[in-house]
Amino acid sequence: MGRDEFRLVHYAGDVTYSVHGFLDKNNDLLFRDLKEAMAECSNGIIKSCFPASDIGSKRRPETAVTQFKNSLNNLMDILMCKEPSYIRCIKPNDLQTHGQFDVELVRHQVKYLGLMENLRVRRAGFAYRRTYELFLQRYKCLSRETWPHYHGHAKDGVQILANELGYEKDDYRMGKTKIFIRFPKTLFDTEDAFQAKKHYLASIIQARWKGRRQRRAYLEIRAKIIVGQTYMRRYLAIQELKRRREAAAKIRFFIKGFITRHDEPNECNRSFIQLTKRHWLTKLSKSLPESFMSHTWIPAPKHCQEASTLLRKMHKLHLARCYRVGLNAEKKRQLDLKVLSESVFKNNKRNYPDSIGPWFVDDRIAKQHATPISNFTVTQMNGEKLHYSTPVVKYDRRGYKPRERFFLLSNKAVYLLDGKTYKQKHRLPLDKIDFCITNERDGIMLIRIPLELKKDKGDLILDIPDIIECCIWILDVTKNRSIVNIVDTGSYVKRGELVLRLSHNLVRGKTGVIEIQTGPQPSITRAKSGNLLVIAGQ
């Protein structure tokens, strides 16, 4: 500095002043006569700078200092009635180019703008302060307890937000009407949370707006649909009225036809009869029997009786043919045996209904006896073909002691084997014997042996589990129905019960008696009279 200079050291920078002309005052005054001369000048630019209205004023003109003072006072008045925000711009370089950062220039600007002192002042206290209402209104979306509306006191809502955001005890203070926040980081974190939450709020607003827009569109479409439905219901009601009127006319027409159905033919009863026939045929087509064993048939009206009889017969024949066509060789064989069984035993043997359902089999011997029986048929039957085999019980001629036997039927003879040793006990040629059974629900079979067969001592008494099946195989092999006799035995009353008697031949021309009674439990025992007592099922 020179002798004529002095310097003020300020926190924003040092300012140096010169004393030359420091005491001169009001040297910017322009006298009135000079203004008048300028106003009367022929130059338009100079004349516009000194308007004639200023010449008429006798007030002393303002100096530059007075103008500066008045302008500064006006500026302060404007600032005091506003909320100013000072924005300090820092130039990174003097070349006005991007990508360059002059550290000394930036440091100089920061120093002379007083930013560091401003920061020190700010950090010394609570730099951010805001009323509870404004703070709560801005940041209420950051807590579920305050969103969307908090109905309590604003201070309590702000305290909830502070707890929700995790403010430390030294980071903020709760005043009487405002909240004071010390560190900018706390405010920045709060603002960052708010900025992140704005996306969620925007999505809610979008959802509500889209919902409102869609509901408006829905209501418009619904109103149009209601109008369309109104016209459609009207149209349908008109059509329903027409249909009911036509239906009522048809009902009256057919009621008249029903009343006059037995009179001379006319339009009404002719249509009624045709409708009756169509309905009966339609109903019949939906309820035709599916099996020829079924006897169901819907009743026919008077005018369809003859047609019903013919159709029923034709349908029965059709079902029978379909059944026959669908039979394989095995089923056909069973059907032939069942027909033979019906012709022989129906109404002649009381246990015949029990044999209708099960199929007839040609082997009823258990598996453990199959191998010895098979060996016997190969070695002892001399090439005869085995047609039927079953276990039976043979009763002795004297004492009627039961013996287990196996009954084998070949194409030429009947074989009885011992139930334990599988040795042959009897061989009876089919052309010399006959079979006798009762008409009761028992399994007793008498094999009557002629006298010329000397080695057999009288008739054989057998208890066969499936008596009808055994007889059918005998009839099928021999093709002779007379070989099986169904005996309607003689009867007498014994102790108030009806007893049937069947006689059989013993050795040396003697005869024995088989008494047959009915009871709940079938059994075969020796009676006290010495006869064989058979309790047949009821």
Side-chain angles (χ1 to χ4, degrees):
M1 294 185 303
R3 289 181 58 86
D4 55 352
E5 296 177 347
F6 66 94
R7 178 177 296 169
L8 296 179
V9 180
H10 193 262
Y11 74 93
D14 298 341
V15 182
T16 303
Y17 296 92
S18 175
V19 299
H20 293 289
F22 199 77
L23 296 179
D24 293 341
K25 297 181 180 179
N26 299 328
N27 55 4
D28 59 343
L29 179 64
L30 186 62
F31 295 98
R32 182 179 292 107
D33 53 353
L34 295 178
K35 287 184 179 181
E36 291 177 356
M38 293 295 180
E40 295 176 357
C41 181
S42 60
N43 191 322
I45 298 175
I46 297 175
K47 188 175 183 178
S48 63
C49 292
F50 298 93
S53 59
D54 294 341
I55 300 175
S57 178
K58 296 182 179 181
R59 187 177 180 181
R60 185 177 182 180
E62 294 179 353
T63 63
V65 176
T66 304
Q67 293 178 1
F68 178 78
K69 180 180 178 181
N70 294 335
S71 177
L72 184 61
N73 290 332
N74 293 333
L75 178 62
M76 292 303 297
D77 293 339
I78 294 173
L79 292 178
M80 291 304 293
C81 66
K82 305 293 182 179
E83 291 185 4
S85 297
Y86 297 98
I87 300 174
R88 295 172 174 84
C89 299
I90 299 176
K91 294 193 298 182
N93 56 75
D94 291 331
L95 303 177
Q96 298 183 358
T97 59
H98 63 86
Q100 294 185 8
F101 192 84
D102 190 347
V103 178
E104 292 299 330
L105 178 61
V106 172
R107 184 181 292 112
H108 176 75
Q109 294 178 74
V110 170
K111 178 180 178 181
Y112 278 79
L113 288 174
L115 296 181
M116 300 304 297
E117 285 71 13
N118 195 356
L119 290 177
R120 293 189 187 96
V121 173
R122 289 284 185 175
R123 288 183 177 180
F126 294 88
Y128 179 85
R129 58 196 66 187
R130 184 65 61 89
T131 60
Y132 292 131
E133 289 77 8
L134 294 178
F135 189 89
L136 179 62
Q137 183 65 26
R138 181 171 180 82
Y139 300 113
K140 64 181 180 179
C141 62
L142 300 179
S143 176
R144 290 186 177 182
E145 298 183 21
T146 58
W147 177 260
H149 300 290
Y150 185 74
H151 301 286
H153 196 271
K155 183 177 181 180
D156 298 333
V158 172
Q159 185 65 51
I160 293 174
L161 288 174
N163 297 335
E164 188 81 16
L165 294 172
Y167 287 179
E168 297 293 337
K169 184 177 180 181
D170 296 335
D171 292 348
Y172 73 103
R173 290 291 186 273
M174 301 292 290
K176 185 176 182 180
T177 60
K178 295 181 180 180
I179 179 173
F180 298 87
I181 298 178
R182 182 186 298 275
F183 302 110
K185 182 178 182 304
T186 305
L187 182 62
F188 293 158
D189 293 341
T190 305
E191 190 65 23
D192 292 341
F194 172 71
Q195 294 298 330
K197 196 70 172 181
K198 283 201 301 186
H199 298 288
Y200 170 72
L201 300 178
S203 64
I204 292 179
I205 295 173
Q206 288 177 348
R208 295 297 177 87
W209 167 246
K210 291 177 181 178
R212 184 176 181 83
R213 185 176 61 184
Q214 293 297 328
R215 177 163 179 80
R216 187 185 299 116
Y218 160 74
L219 292 176
E220 293 176 359
I221 296 174
R222 182 172 178 269
K224 295 177 182 179
I225 292 175
I226 291 175
V227 174
Q229 288 177 343
T230 302
Y231 284 101
M232 181 57 67
R233 289 193 183 100
R234 178 178 178 272
Y235 173 77
L236 293 178
I238 294 174
Q239 297 299 320
E240 179 69 14
L241 178 60
K242 292 181 180 179
R243 189 187 66 82
R244 289 191 178 187
R245 286 177 178 175
E246 293 175 359
K250 288 183 179 180
I251 291 173
R252 286 193 295 267
F253 180 80
F254 282 103
I255 289 175
K256 184 177 179 181
F258 173 75
I259 295 173
T260 61
R261 65 187 183 279
H262 300 301
D263 298 345
E264 293 295 330
N266 54 56
E267 184 181 359
C268 295
N269 57 20
R270 190 183 297 110
S271 300
F272 174 78
I273 292 172
Q274 291 177 357
L275 179 65
T276 304
K277 292 179 180 179
R278 286 197 299 269
H279 283 187
W280 176 75
L281 289 174
T282 303
K283 186 177 180 181
L284 178 63
S285 65
K286 296 179 181 179
S287 60
L288 288 173
E290 298 181 358
S291 173
F292 70 94
M293 296 295 292
S294 176
H295 302 289
T296 59
W297 192 263
I298 62 174
K302 179 180 179 181
H303 302 88
C304 302
Q305 292 292 336
E306 184 179 359
S308 176
T309 303
L310 294 176
L311 289 175
R312 184 173 187 178
K313 182 178 179 181
M314 292 169 60
H315 186 66
K316 198 83 170 180
L317 294 175
H318 170 70
L319 292 177
R321 182 182 179 280
C322 293
Y323 181 78
R324 292 195 304 272
V325 171
L327 291 175
N328 54 24
E330 184 180 2
K331 288 185 177 181
K332 288 182 179 179
R333 174 66 171 162
Q334 287 290 327
L335 185 60
D336 293 338
L337 295 177
K338 293 295 182 180
V339 171
L340 178 61
S341 174
E342 179 185 13
S343 62
V344 175
F345 295 105
K346 186 177 181 180
N347 300 326
N348 295 325
K349 184 72 172 171
R350 293 187 179 179
N351 57 350
Y352 164 73
D354 299 338
S355 67
I356 295 176
W359 281 19
F360 293 146
V361 297
D362 56 1
D363 185 9
R364 291 196 175 272
I365 296 178
K367 292 183 179 180
Q368 61 268 26
H369 307 296
T371 301
I373 298 298
S374 178
N375 295 335
F376 175 82
T377 58
V378 173
T379 58
Q380 302 296 328
M381 294 184 65
N382 299 323
E384 297 179 14
K385 183 179 179 181
L386 181 64
H387 289 276
Y388 181 69
S389 58
T390 181
V392 298
V393 177
K394 174 207 175 254
Y395 291 91
D396 292 343
R397 299 170 182 84
R398 293 184 180 180
Y400 300 113
K401 185 176 180 180
R403 309 280 185 180
E404 294 183 1
R405 297 286 186 266
F406 293 110
F407 181 92
L408 306 181
L409 174 65
S410 70
N411 57 341
K412 295 183 179 180
V414 171
Y415 293 86
L416 287 181
L417 308 184
D418 188 272
K420 297 180 180 180
T421 61
Y422 308 104
K423 293 183 178 181
Q424 177 179 323
K425 293 295 184 178
H426 299 276
R427 184 185 183 279
L428 306 174
L430 291 174
D431 56 351
K432 295 183 180 181
I433 60 174
D434 59 358
F435 303 88
C436 181
I437 62 175
T438 69
N439 59 352
E440 297 294 333
R441 300 176 61 87
D442 60 77
I444 294 297
M445 172 184 285
L446 283 180
I447 301 180
R448 298 194 181 276
I449 304 173
L451 297 177
E452 58 267 22
L453 298 178
K454 300 297 184 180
K455 60 180 180 179
D456 286 305
K457 301 177 182 180
D459 299 335
L460 287 178
I461 305 174
L462 302 179
D463 181 23
I464 303 177
D466 299 280
I467 184 69
I468 294 179
E469 180 184 77
C470 181
C471 294
I472 289 301
W473 284 110
I474 293 173
L475 294 175
D476 183 68
V477 171
T478 61
K479 309 299 182 184
N480 181 15
R481 289 197 178 187
S482 62
I483 196 172
V484 176
N485 300 315
I486 302 175
V487 180
D488 190 0
T489 57
S491 61
Y492 70 99
V493 178
K494 179 181 179 181
R495 296 179 183 177
E497 295 183 0
L498 183 63
V499 179
L500 306 179
R501 304 185 66 178
L502 178 64
S503 60
H504 63 90
N505 297 325
L506 296 175
V507 66
R508 298 176 184 177
K510 296 182 180 180
T511 61
V513 176
I514 301 175
E515 298 181 358
I516 301 175
Q517 299 179 6
T518 59
Q521 295 295 332
S523 62
I524 301 177
T525 58
R526 184 180 181 183
K528 293 182 179 180
S529 61
N531 299 328
L532 182 63
L533 177 61
V534 178
I535 306 297
Q538 295 179 350

Short mmCIF file of all heavy atoms in Angstrom, two decimals, residues 161-193:
data_model
loop_
_atom_site.label_atom_id
_atom_site.label_comp_id
_atom_site.label_asym_id
_atom_site.label_seq_id
_atom_site.Cartn_x
_atom_site.Cartn_y
_atom_site.Cartn_z
N LEU A 161 -42.59 -39.17 13.59
CA LEU A 161 -41.72 -39.23 12.43
C LEU A 161 -40.26 -39.30 12.83
O LEU A 161 -39.46 -40.05 12.24
CB LEU A 161 -41.96 -38.01 11.53
CG LEU A 161 -43.28 -37.98 10.76
CD1 LEU A 161 -43.43 -36.65 10.05
CD2 LEU A 161 -43.33 -39.13 9.75
N ALA A 162 -39.87 -38.51 13.86
CA ALA A 162 -38.48 -38.54 14.33
C ALA A 162 -38.11 -39.92 14.85
O ALA A 162 -37.01 -40.43 14.58
CB ALA A 162 -38.28 -37.48 15.40
N ASN A 163 -39.01 -40.53 15.59
CA ASN A 163 -38.74 -41.88 16.09
C ASN A 163 -38.69 -42.90 14.94
O ASN A 163 -37.87 -43.83 14.95
CB ASN A 163 -39.81 -42.29 17.10
CG ASN A 163 -39.81 -41.40 18.33
OD1 ASN A 163 -38.78 -40.80 18.67
ND2 ASN A 163 -40.96 -41.27 18.99
N GLU A 164 -39.57 -42.71 13.95
CA GLU A 164 -39.62 -43.64 12.82
C GLU A 164 -38.36 -43.53 11.97
O GLU A 164 -37.84 -44.53 11.47
CB GLU A 164 -40.87 -43.33 11.97
CG GLU A 164 -41.13 -44.34 10.87
CD GLU A 164 -41.83 -45.58 11.38
OE1 GLU A 164 -42.37 -45.54 12.51
OE2 GLU A 164 -41.82 -46.58 10.66
N LEU A 165 -37.82 -42.28 11.82
CA LEU A 165 -36.63 -42.07 11.00
C LEU A 165 -35.34 -42.32 11.75
O LEU A 165 -34.26 -42.27 11.15
CB LEU A 165 -36.63 -40.63 10.45
CG LEU A 165 -37.77 -40.31 9.47
CD1 LEU A 165 -37.78 -38.82 9.17
CD2 LEU A 165 -37.61 -41.10 8.19
N GLY A 166 -35.41 -42.57 13.01
CA GLY A 166 -34.22 -42.91 13.80
C GLY A 166 -33.33 -41.73 14.13
O GLY A 166 -32.09 -41.86 14.12
N TYR A 167 -33.92 -40.54 14.41
CA TYR A 167 -33.11 -39.38 14.79
C TYR A 167 -32.42 -39.64 16.13
O TYR A 167 -33.04 -40.16 17.08
CB TYR A 167 -33.99 -38.13 14.93
CG TYR A 167 -34.47 -37.55 13.61
CD1 TYR A 167 -35.28 -36.42 13.59
CD2 TYR A 167 -34.08 -38.11 12.39
CE1 TYR A 167 -35.72 -35.87 12.40
CE2 TYR A 167 -34.51 -37.57 11.20
CZ TYR A 167 -35.33 -36.46 11.20
OH TYR A 167 -35.76 -35.93 10.02
N GLU A 168 -31.12 -39.25 16.21
CA GLU A 168 -30.41 -39.31 17.48
C GLU A 168 -30.85 -38.15 18.37
O GLU A 168 -31.44 -37.16 17.92
CB GLU A 168 -28.91 -39.25 17.26
CG GLU A 168 -28.34 -40.42 16.47
CD GLU A 168 -28.45 -41.73 17.23
OE1 GLU A 168 -28.55 -41.67 18.49
OE2 GLU A 168 -28.44 -42.80 16.59
N LYS A 169 -30.54 -38.27 19.66
CA LYS A 169 -30.99 -37.27 20.62
C LYS A 169 -30.35 -35.91 20.36
O LYS A 169 -30.99 -34.86 20.54
CB LYS A 169 -30.67 -37.73 22.04
CG LYS A 169 -31.19 -36.80 23.11
CD LYS A 169 -30.91 -37.36 24.49
CE LYS A 169 -31.44 -36.42 25.56
NZ LYS A 169 -31.17 -36.93 26.93
N ASP A 170 -29.07 -35.89 19.92
CA ASP A 170 -28.37 -34.63 19.68
C ASP A 170 -28.61 -34.09 18.28
O ASP A 170 -28.09 -33.01 17.94
CB ASP A 170 -26.86 -34.83 19.89
CG ASP A 170 -26.54 -35.19 21.32
OD1 ASP A 170 -27.34 -34.82 22.20
OD2 ASP A 170 -25.50 -35.85 21.56
N ASP A 171 -29.33 -34.80 17.43
CA ASP A 171 -29.53 -34.35 16.05
C ASP A 171 -30.65 -33.33 15.93
O ASP A 171 -30.70 -32.59 14.94
CB ASP A 171 -29.85 -35.54 15.14
CG ASP A 171 -28.65 -36.46 14.99
OD1 ASP A 171 -27.55 -36.06 15.40
OD2 ASP A 171 -28.82 -37.59 14.47
N TYR A 172 -31.55 -33.28 16.89
CA TYR A 172 -32.71 -32.39 16.73
C TYR A 172 -33.19 -31.96 18.11
O TYR A 172 -32.84 -32.55 19.14
CB TYR A 172 -33.84 -33.09 15.98
CG TYR A 172 -34.55 -34.14 16.80
CD1 TYR A 172 -35.81 -33.87 17.36
CD2 TYR A 172 -33.99 -35.38 17.03
CE1 TYR A 172 -36.46 -34.82 18.10
CE2 TYR A 172 -34.64 -36.34 17.77
CZ TYR A 172 -35.88 -36.05 18.31
OH TYR A 172 -36.54 -37.00 19.05
N ARG A 173 -34.01 -30.91 18.13
CA ARG A 173 -34.67 -30.45 19.34
C ARG A 173 -36.11 -30.10 18.98
O ARG A 173 -36.40 -29.64 17.87
CB ARG A 173 -33.98 -29.20 19.92
CG ARG A 173 -32.62 -29.46 20.51
CD ARG A 173 -32.71 -30.28 21.79
NE ARG A 173 -31.41 -30.39 22.42
CZ ARG A 173 -30.52 -31.33 22.14
NH1 ARG A 173 -30.79 -32.22 21.20
NH2 ARG A 173 -29.36 -31.37 22.76
N MET A 174 -36.97 -30.36 19.92
CA MET A 174 -38.38 -30.06 19.74
C MET A 174 -38.69 -28.75 20.45
O MET A 174 -38.61 -28.67 21.69
CB MET A 174 -39.26 -31.18 20.29
CG MET A 174 -39.02 -32.54 19.65
SD MET A 174 -39.56 -32.59 17.94
CE MET A 174 -41.32 -32.52 18.18
N GLY A 175 -38.99 -27.68 19.66
CA GLY A 175 -39.32 -26.39 20.26
C GLY A 175 -40.80 -26.29 20.58
O GLY A 175 -41.53 -27.29 20.62
N LYS A 176 -41.23 -25.08 20.82
CA LYS A 176 -42.64 -24.87 21.15
C LYS A 176 -43.52 -24.97 19.92
O LYS A 176 -44.59 -25.58 19.96
CB LYS A 176 -42.81 -23.50 21.81
CG LYS A 176 -44.22 -23.23 22.30
CD LYS A 176 -44.30 -21.90 23.03
CE LYS A 176 -45.72 -21.67 23.56
NZ LYS A 176 -45.83 -20.37 24.27
N THR A 177 -43.04 -24.37 18.81
CA THR A 177 -43.83 -24.41 17.57
C THR A 177 -43.05 -25.00 16.41
O THR A 177 -43.62 -25.23 15.34
CB THR A 177 -44.29 -23.01 17.18
OG1 THR A 177 -43.14 -22.18 16.98
CG2 THR A 177 -45.18 -22.41 18.25
N LYS A 178 -41.71 -25.21 16.59
CA LYS A 178 -40.89 -25.68 15.48
C LYS A 178 -40.02 -26.85 15.92
O LYS A 178 -39.77 -27.05 17.10
CB LYS A 178 -40.00 -24.55 14.96
CG LYS A 178 -40.73 -23.38 14.34
CD LYS A 178 -39.74 -22.34 13.83
CE LYS A 178 -40.48 -21.16 13.19
NZ LYS A 178 -39.53 -20.13 12.70
N ILE A 179 -39.52 -27.54 14.91
CA ILE A 179 -38.50 -28.57 15.12
C ILE A 179 -37.17 -28.02 14.61
O ILE A 179 -37.10 -27.39 13.54
CB ILE A 179 -38.86 -29.89 14.38
CG1 ILE A 179 -37.75 -30.92 14.62
CG2 ILE A 179 -39.12 -29.68 12.91
CD1 ILE A 179 -38.08 -32.30 14.07
N PHE A 180 -36.10 -28.22 15.38
CA PHE A 180 -34.79 -27.73 15.04
C PHE A 180 -33.88 -28.92 14.77
O PHE A 180 -33.78 -29.84 15.60
CB PHE A 180 -34.22 -26.89 16.19
CG PHE A 180 -35.04 -25.68 16.50
CD1 PHE A 180 -36.11 -25.75 17.39
CD2 PHE A 180 -34.74 -24.46 15.91
CE1 PHE A 180 -36.86 -24.63 17.69
CE2 PHE A 180 -35.49 -23.34 16.20
CZ PHE A 180 -36.56 -23.43 17.08
N ILE A 181 -33.21 -28.90 13.61
CA ILE A 181 -32.33 -29.98 13.21
C ILE A 181 -30.92 -29.42 13.09
O ILE A 181 -30.69 -28.39 12.44
CB ILE A 181 -32.78 -30.59 11.87
CG1 ILE A 181 -34.19 -31.20 12.02
CG2 ILE A 181 -31.80 -31.65 11.40
CD1 ILE A 181 -34.75 -31.77 10.75
N ARG A 182 -29.94 -30.08 13.74
CA ARG A 182 -28.59 -29.56 13.83
C ARG A 182 -27.79 -29.83 12.56
O ARG A 182 -27.22 -28.92 11.95
CB ARG A 182 -27.87 -30.18 15.04
CG ARG A 182 -26.45 -29.66 15.24
CD ARG A 182 -25.77 -30.42 16.36
NE ARG A 182 -26.44 -30.24 17.63
CZ ARG A 182 -26.23 -29.21 18.46
NH1 ARG A 182 -25.38 -28.25 18.14
NH2 ARG A 182 -26.88 -29.13 19.59
N PHE A 183 -27.70 -31.08 12.12
CA PHE A 183 -26.78 -31.46 11.05
C PHE A 183 -27.51 -31.57 9.72
O PHE A 183 -28.63 -32.10 9.64
CB PHE A 183 -26.11 -32.80 11.37
CG PHE A 183 -25.36 -32.78 12.66
CD1 PHE A 183 -25.82 -33.49 13.76
CD2 PHE A 183 -24.18 -32.04 12.79
CE1 PHE A 183 -25.13 -33.47 14.95
CE2 PHE A 183 -23.50 -32.02 13.97
CZ PHE A 183 -23.96 -32.72 15.07
N PRO A 184 -26.87 -31.11 8.66
CA PRO A 184 -27.50 -31.26 7.34
C PRO A 184 -27.70 -32.71 6.93
O PRO A 184 -28.64 -33.03 6.21
CB PRO A 184 -26.50 -30.55 6.40
CG PRO A 184 -25.72 -29.62 7.27
CD PRO A 184 -25.63 -30.29 8.61
N LYS A 185 -26.80 -33.59 7.39
CA LYS A 185 -26.94 -35.00 7.00
C LYS A 185 -28.28 -35.57 7.45
O LYS A 185 -28.92 -36.36 6.74
CB LYS A 185 -25.79 -35.82 7.61
CG LYS A 185 -25.81 -37.29 7.23
CD LYS A 185 -24.63 -38.01 7.83
CE LYS A 185 -24.63 -39.47 7.41
NZ LYS A 185 -25.86 -40.20 7.73
N THR A 186 -28.71 -35.16 8.64
CA THR A 186 -30.00 -35.64 9.13
C THR A 186 -31.13 -35.19 8.21
O THR A 186 -32.03 -35.96 7.85
CB THR A 186 -30.25 -35.12 10.56
OG1 THR A 186 -29.17 -35.49 11.40
CG2 THR A 186 -31.55 -35.68 11.11
N LEU A 187 -31.06 -33.91 7.79
CA LEU A 187 -32.09 -33.40 6.89
C LEU A 187 -31.99 -34.07 5.52
O LEU A 187 -33.02 -34.40 4.91
CB LEU A 187 -31.96 -31.89 6.76
CG LEU A 187 -33.01 -31.21 5.87
CD1 LEU A 187 -34.40 -31.42 6.44
CD2 LEU A 187 -32.71 -29.72 5.74
N PHE A 188 -30.73 -34.27 5.05
CA PHE A 188 -30.57 -34.90 3.74
C PHE A 188 -31.10 -36.33 3.74
O PHE A 188 -31.74 -36.78 2.78
CB PHE A 188 -29.09 -34.89 3.35
CG PHE A 188 -28.54 -33.51 3.09
CD1 PHE A 188 -27.18 -33.25 3.18
CD2 PHE A 188 -29.40 -32.47 2.77
CE1 PHE A 188 -26.69 -31.97 2.94
CE2 PHE A 188 -28.91 -31.18 2.54
CZ PHE A 188 -27.56 -30.95 2.63
N ASP A 189 -30.84 -37.07 4.82
CA ASP A 189 -31.37 -38.44 4.92
C ASP A 189 -32.90 -38.44 4.91
O ASP A 189 -33.55 -39.29 4.28
CB ASP A 189 -30.85 -39.12 6.18
CG ASP A 189 -29.35 -39.36 6.13
OD1 ASP A 189 -28.81 -39.33 5.00
OD2 ASP A 189 -28.74 -39.57 7.19
N THR A 190 -33.46 -37.46 5.63
CA THR A 190 -34.92 -37.36 5.64
C THR A 190 -35.46 -37.05 4.26
O THR A 190 -36.45 -37.63 3.80
CB THR A 190 -35.36 -36.28 6.64
OG1 THR A 190 -34.81 -36.57 7.93
CG2 THR A 190 -36.88 -36.23 6.74
N GLU A 191 -34.78 -36.11 3.57
CA GLU A 191 -35.24 -35.74 2.24
C GLU A 191 -35.07 -36.90 1.24
O GLU A 191 -35.91 -37.12 0.37
CB GLU A 191 -34.46 -34.51 1.75
CG GLU A 191 -35.00 -33.89 0.48
CD GLU A 191 -36.39 -33.31 0.65
OE1 GLU A 191 -36.77 -32.99 1.80
OE2 GLU A 191 -37.10 -33.18 -0.37
N ASP A 192 -33.96 -37.65 1.38
CA ASP A 192 -33.75 -38.82 0.52
C ASP A 192 -34.85 -39.86 0.73
O ASP A 192 -35.36 -40.46 -0.23
CB ASP A 192 -32.38 -39.44 0.78
CG ASP A 192 -31.25 -38.52 0.34
OD1 ASP A 192 -31.53 -37.62 -0.49
OD2 ASP A 192 -30.12 -38.72 0.82
N ALA A 193 -35.20 -40.07 2.00
CA ALA A 193 -36.30 -41.00 2.28
C ALA A 193 -37.61 -40.52 1.66
O ALA A 193 -38.41 -41.31 1.12
CB ALA A 193 -36.46 -41.19 3.79
#
